[in-house]
Amino acid sequence: MRSSNRTRSNRADHAPEREVWREALGVVLATSAYGVSFGALAVAAGLDVWQTCVLSLLMFTGGSQFAFVGVFAAGGLAALPSAIASAALLGVRNAAYGMRMSPIIGSGFWRRAAAAHYTIDESTAVAIAQSEPRLRRVGFWVTGIGIYLGWNATTLVGALVGDVLGDPRTWGLDAAAAAAFLALLWPRLKQRQAIAVGIAAAVVAAAFTPLLMPGLPVLVAAVVAILVGWFNWFRPPAVSPDIVDEAGVTP
């Protein structure tokens, strides 16, 4: 009887971790599929297969990679400085992610050095979506390492079969990452504050998309989201202690 109870207890203890694994692997699959698009577009822009793969291995941040390839495709070698500047500008957001993830990752030089390479949009989103520090660490590492392996594998596939694949957008690969983020965001839209932040960021990003280079509308929307969240304009009104006492509820 004790053994049966212990087994049920162990299953209950591991259930949240299994849920994090499922969530992380879902994001890994969606984002990795998008890597085929990058590989195909990079080769079409004039990069060799090995150059495309090295870019994913070392840069490993989708927005910056697409910005680099987009500017390079438009201007060739003459636009290389602009391509590098654009990629670096979009990569600044990862520094903000790093500050947010620092207490979750913990101390230790090698651990932080490894975490720096895996600190991307998806790993940060999955990590902060969890309720416990242990689960946040699991979400971060599973998502970061999983996407790194999957993204580089699909980058190679896209670079090799780009001509056969054609325009990646016809396969819906350009929407895979966005769909994964929406799946993470949706369960968190339970309060007016979260809904307000999401709507404000979406409206700003949509408004600036025709005006700014790819990637920058997301950064502008992030600033708006930070402002709305910082001032907490849409928080629910605080309940007076007198009202609580009159209702017969102990605070």
Side-chain angles (χ1 to χ4, degrees):
M1 187 66 176
R2 290 181 180 178
S3 177
S4 177
N5 291 336
R6 190 180 300 112
T7 301
R8 285 196 295 269
S9 177
N10 289 337
R11 289 177 179 174
D13 291 340
H14 288 87
E17 186 168 329
R18 287 196 297 268
E19 182 62 30
V20 176
W21 271 82
R22 283 194 292 268
E23 184 176 303
L25 291 177
V27 175
V28 167
L29 292 175
T31 308
S32 297
Y34 198 23
V36 176
S37 177
F38 170 73
L41 293 174
V43 171
L47 297 179
D48 296 334
V49 172
W50 73 269
Q51 291 172 329
T52 300
C53 292
V54 168
L55 199 61
S56 280
L57 285 167
L58 300 182
M59 186 178 291
F60 186 52
T61 172
S64 296
Q65 291 180 230
F66 278 102
F68 178 91
V69 168
V71 176
F72 181 78
L77 289 177
L80 188 58
S82 298
I84 295 174
S86 299
L89 179 62
L90 290 179
V92 169
R93 72 190 190 282
N94 288 356
Y97 296 157
M99 291 186 289
R100 177 66 177 85
M101 297 305 300
S102 179
I104 296 175
I105 298 303
S107 59
F109 173 78
W110 293 112
R111 178 185 299 176
R112 287 177 174 267
H117 200 53
Y118 301 130
T119 303
I120 55 176
D121 302 314
E122 293 83 0
S123 61
T124 303
V126 172
I128 64 177
Q130 311 310 318
S131 58
E132 300 177 13
R134 178 180 63 87
L135 299 179
R136 289 174 179 170
R137 286 191 292 271
V138 172
F140 173 83
W141 288 110
V142 173
T143 307
I145 295 175
I147 291 178
Y148 184 77
L149 297 175
W151 180 267
N152 282 281
T154 54
T155 293
L156 176 60
V157 172
L160 292 175
V161 302
D163 293 337
V164 177
L165 182 66
D167 188 353
R169 289 174 295 184
T170 61
W171 299 89
L173 297 177
D174 56 324
F181 272 111
L182 182 60
L184 287 173
L185 175 65
W186 189 259
R188 301 174 69 86
L189 299 179
K190 298 179 179 179
Q191 299 178 347
R192 286 184 298 175
Q193 176 71 10
I195 295 173
V197 170
I199 293 176
V203 170
V204 170
F208 279 95
T209 295
L211 306 176
L212 301 178
M213 62 177 291
L216 289 184
V218 176
L219 295 179
V220 177
V223 173
V224 173
I226 290 171
L227 290 175
V228 175
W230 179 270
F231 291 104
N232 208 12
W233 288 320
F234 297 92
R235 64 183 174 185
V239 179
S240 171
D242 296 334
I243 297 176
V244 174
D245 292 339
E246 290 177 2
V249 179
T250 303

